[in-house]
Amino acid sequence: MHWEKENSSVHGLLVLFRKELADHLRSTRFLLMTALLTLTSMASLYGALSNIRDQATENSEFIFLSLFTTSGNSLPSICTFLAFLGPLAGIVLGFDCVNRERSLGTLNRLTAQPIYRDMVINGKFMAGFAAIFLMVFSLGILVSAIGLLVIGIAPQTEEVLRILAFLLFTVFYIAFWLGLSILFSVIWRHAATAALAGISIWIFLSFFMSMIAGAVADIAYPTEGIEGLFNLKSNYSLELGLNRISPYYLFGEAASTILNPNIRSIGIVTNSQLSGAIAGYLPFGQSLLLVWPHLVCMVALTMVCFALSYICFMKQEIRA
């Protein structure tokens, strides 16, 4: 009997997951968001290919990674575009996933089905995560395929691993904003309020957090005068710690470390660390160790947002 209940719950979760994923993939907002990311990435790739061709004639080592990190004449790199527009994709997919069901009255009918209530919120998050996964990896494969055709240089195993790690980190980065937007969708009954809250936090963490971190660090550890010479390290450490509160900064730091084998350290590098160091590229495993705390922090933030959404949803009265 217990096995039959578990089997029924898993079946109900799969049904909800397929239904929500199909709704995402057919929705106009998903198609527009995918088109926006694709167009911006293609424009950035077009601007970067001219620079990459010049690099390929001089040095072909790790040239494939330049597809994601090289900026054009007037456009930022693909990595920068994903850091900026990725949160918008997560917000668009989740800001009305619960409150829209409530306002249309379909949430009552959905919970009236013979499924557990928590399967509703679980299925919605899983479907949103799957849609993000498909969006990011499809874009990564498209960029890599075009780069392979234009450059004509096959990527090394090291480059493939680094690109896959970057795409996976991008998925969790956008999934954090999905979890946050689902939380707002559960808390607020109006979709416009949930969307505005998510966009406000996105703008604050992406644009203003670095300015606030610098101002706080300058107030706590002034860098002017003779005393400022002794405060440089403390000032930089405090500013770096405050910046790392922002997922935008975490993603940018991790992405640049994964995609650039020349980066051998994150944070302050002292003269004692430089003495005796061997110049060269950092292996993929070592780069992954540098950004492993970033990935763990991003996954933890995503799980916290989803856990809060889960708790709030389970405590709400939805049949009224």
Side-chain angles (χ1 to χ4, degrees):
M1 190 67 177
H2 179 69
W3 178 83
E4 291 180 355
K5 289 183 178 180
E6 289 185 352
N7 189 32
S8 177
S9 64
V10 172
H11 177 71
L13 177 61
L14 290 177
V15 171
L16 279 173
F17 168 75
R18 292 168 184 167
K19 180 257 182 188
E20 292 293 333
L21 180 59
D23 290 343
H24 280 313
L25 297 181
R26 288 195 299 258
S27 64
T28 304
R29 70 180 68 178
F30 177 81
L31 297 176
L32 289 176
M33 198 67 235
T34 304
L36 176 62
L37 290 177
T38 303
L39 289 175
T40 53
S41 298
M42 291 301 102
S44 179
L45 180 62
Y46 176 79
L49 280 175
S50 58
N51 297 329
I52 293 177
R53 291 193 193 97
D54 296 336
Q55 297 175 15
T57 57
E58 301 174 359
N59 183 18
S60 61
E61 192 171 12
F62 296 115
I63 197 66
F64 213 79
L65 297 177
S66 301
L67 294 172
F68 298 88
T69 58
T70 303
S71 302
N73 296 328
S74 58
L75 290 172
S77 64
I78 295 175
C79 180
T80 304
F81 266 129
L82 288 177
F84 177 69
L85 295 177
L88 186 59
I91 294 171
V92 165
L93 290 176
F95 77 96
D96 65 343
C97 66
V98 175
N99 48 30
R100 181 186 58 179
E101 300 267 13
R102 183 184 290 112
S103 62
L104 295 177
T106 56
L107 190 59
N108 292 337
R109 296 195 297 269
L110 187 60
T111 54
Q113 303 298 320
I115 58 174
Y116 293 105
R117 179 172 174 175
D118 58 345
M119 296 303 170
V120 176
I121 191 72
N122 291 339
K124 288 182 176 295
F125 180 79
M126 290 172 56
F129 186 89
I132 292 170
F133 183 89
L134 293 174
M135 179 192 300
V136 171
F137 273 81
S138 298
L139 181 62
I141 293 173
L142 177 62
V143 171
S144 301
I146 294 176
L148 180 61
L149 292 174
V150 175
I151 299 176
I153 300 176
Q156 306 172 18
T157 304
E158 178 91 359
E159 292 177 299
V160 174
L161 292 176
R162 288 180 179 273
I163 292 174
L164 290 177
F166 164 70
L167 295 177
L168 184 62
F169 196 90
T170 305
V171 170
F172 281 104
Y173 171 61
I174 301 177
F176 161 75
W177 295 98
L178 172 68
L180 186 65
S181 61
I182 291 178
L183 174 61
F184 292 155
S185 179
V186 173
I187 294 175
W188 285 297
R189 294 183 177 271
H190 297 287
T193 306
L196 182 61
I199 293 175
S200 300
I201 294 178
W202 164 51
I203 293 176
F204 173 78
L205 293 179
S206 300
F207 294 99
F208 300 106
M209 187 64 192
S210 59
M211 293 185 289
I212 294 177
V216 172
D218 290 338
I219 294 175
Y221 300 101
T223 56
E224 298 179 355
I226 299 178
E227 184 181 0
L229 297 177
F230 301 95
N231 292 336
L232 289 177
K233 182 178 179 180
S234 300
N235 181 283
Y236 179 79
S237 299
L238 179 58
E239 183 178 357
L240 182 62
L242 292 176
N243 276 322
R244 284 177 175 171
I245 297 176
S246 169
Y248 176 81
Y249 188 89
L250 279 179
F251 174 78
E253 192 174 47
S256 60
T257 304
I258 292 174
L259 295 176
N260 188 358
N262 289 310
I263 298 179
R264 304 180 60 87
S265 178
I266 296 178
I268 300 177
V269 180
T270 61
N271 291 328
S272 60
Q273 292 174 322
L274 290 176
S275 61
I278 301 175
Y281 296 112
L282 196 66
F284 169 69
Q286 297 297 321
S287 297
L288 195 60
L289 287 177
L290 288 178
V291 301
W292 185 253
H294 297 67
L295 179 59
V296 172
C297 183
M298 193 68 67
V299 174
L301 289 174
T302 304
M303 292 298 101
V304 167
C305 290
F306 174 70
L308 292 175
S309 305
Y310 182 93
I311 294 172
C312 294
F313 182 77
M314 295 298 291
K315 289 185 176 181
Q316 282 183 348
E317 176 58 48
I318 62 177
R319 296 184 184 275

